[in-house]
C-alpha cells in the first residue's frame, strides 16, 4: 500500500444496524492514524488519533482499532443512528512530519430511519 | 463550532486574479494547516505553519503562498487563478507541531469563472 485507502466507498444501513469500515495505510514508517467525521455542509471533525499497534479507542458508539504491522484500521459504529450519516475519513502522515496528513477518499455512510 | 474561523465564506473571482483567504486558529493553537478539497480530489494538504515558521509543505502550487503572522492568524494567497483552482479551502489548527488532532474551520468556497 502506497497511499491511504478506504473501503467501502459508500455504505447504506438501517437504523440500529452495526457497521464497520476499513482504512489501509503504508505500514512502513508508521507514525499515526487519524479518523475524522465529515457531515454534509460542515467541516471535518476529529474522532481519534491512534499511534500504538493494537490500540483501541472509543467515543460513545464509535470505536476504532489499529494494526500497524499489517497497515489497517477499522472503524466500528454500534447501533447506527441517522445522525451518524457522514463521510468518515482516515489520514496518516507520510514520513516523520506528523502534521502533513494524507487523507483517504472516505467512506460515505447513510443510515436510513 | 471548532473555534477556527475562516473568512470569507464564499469568494467568486475571475481567472488571472489574486485572492487572499484568512484563518484564525483556536485560542492557544500554534499550528495552522491549509487544505484544498476539489470535486475530483480528496482532501489535499497544502502547507503547515507552526508558531510563525513554515513546518511542512505538500503539493502547493508555486502560484500559492501562505504565511502565519505573530498573532498566529494565517493567510493563504492564491494568484494567477485558473478555473481548476475552484475548490473548498480549509484551514485547520492544532496545539503542537504535528501528531495531535486537527480542528477544521468552516472553509472558504472559491469559485473561479
Amino acid at each position: 500500500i502506497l497511499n491511504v485507502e478506504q473501503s467501502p466507498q459508500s455504505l447504506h444501513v438501517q437504523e440500529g444496524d452495526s457497521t464497520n469500515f476499513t482504512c489501509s495505510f503504508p505500514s512502513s514508517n508508521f507514525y499515526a492514524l487519524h479518523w475524522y467525521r465529515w457531515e454534509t455542509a460542515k467541516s471535518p471533525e476529529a474522532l481519534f488519533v491512534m499511534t500504538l499497534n493494537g490500540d483501541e479507542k472509543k467515543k460513545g458508539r464509535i470505536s476504532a482499532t489499529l494494526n500497524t504491522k499489517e497497515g489497517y484500521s477499522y472503524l466500528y459504529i454500534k447501533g447506527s443512528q441517522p445522525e451518524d450519516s457522514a463521510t468518515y475519513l482516515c489520514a496518516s502522515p507520510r514520513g516523520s512530519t506528523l502534521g502533513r496528513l494524507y487523507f483517504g477518499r472516505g467512506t460515505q455512510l447513510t443510515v436510513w430511519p | 463550532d471548532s473555534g477556527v474561523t475562516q473568512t470569507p465564506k464564499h469568494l467568486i473571482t475571475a481567472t488571472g486574479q489574486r485572492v487572499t483567504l484568512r484563518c484564525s486558529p483556536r485560542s492557544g493553537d500554534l499550528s495552522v494547516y491549509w487544505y484544498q478539497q476539489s470535486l475530483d480530489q480528496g482532501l489535499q494538504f497544502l502547507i503547515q505553519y507552526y508558531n510563525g515558521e513554515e513546518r511542512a509543505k505538500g503539493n502547493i502550487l508555486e502560484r500559492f503562498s501562505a504565511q502565519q503572522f505573530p498573532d498566529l492568524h494565517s493567510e493563504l494567497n492564491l494568484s494567477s487563478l485558473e478555473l481548476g483552482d475552484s475548490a473548498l479551502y480549509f484551514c485547520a489548527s492544532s496545539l503542537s507541531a504535528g501528531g495531535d488532532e486537527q480542528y477544521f474551520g468552516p472553509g472558504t468556497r472559491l469559485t473561479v469563472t
Side-chain angles (χ1 to χ4, degrees), chain A residues 1-22:
Chain A
I1 295 276
L2 296 177
N3 300 309
V4 178
E5 296 174 2
Q6 294 187 247
S7 62
Q9 194 173 341
S10 67
L11 200 49
H12 295 254
V13 301
Q14 288 293 131
E15 183 175 355
D17 287 351
S18 292
T19 187
N20 67 86
F21 21 94
T22 306

Side-chain angles (χ1 to χ4, degrees), chain A residues 32 34 36 38 42-49 51 59 89 97-105, chain B residues 33 35 37 39-43 45 48 55-57 88 90 97-102 104-106:
Chain A
H34 296 233
Y36 287 83
W38 191 357
K42 294 190 177 179
S43 49
E45 176 193 348
L47 288 173
F48 308 113
V49 179
T51 56
K59 188 181 274 191
L89 299 169
T97 308
L98 301 183
R100 185 171 52 195
L101 293 182
Y102 289 85
F103 280 82
R105 299 301 295 267
Chain B
Y33 309 83
Y35 291 90
Q37 166 85 26
L39 276 176
D40 56 346
Q41 300 274 345
L43 209 49
F45 173 84
Q48 176 197 0
R55 177 80 178 177
K57 219 166 182 175
L88 189 53
F90 283 109
D100 51 347
E101 294 177 341
Q102 295 182 16
F104 281 76

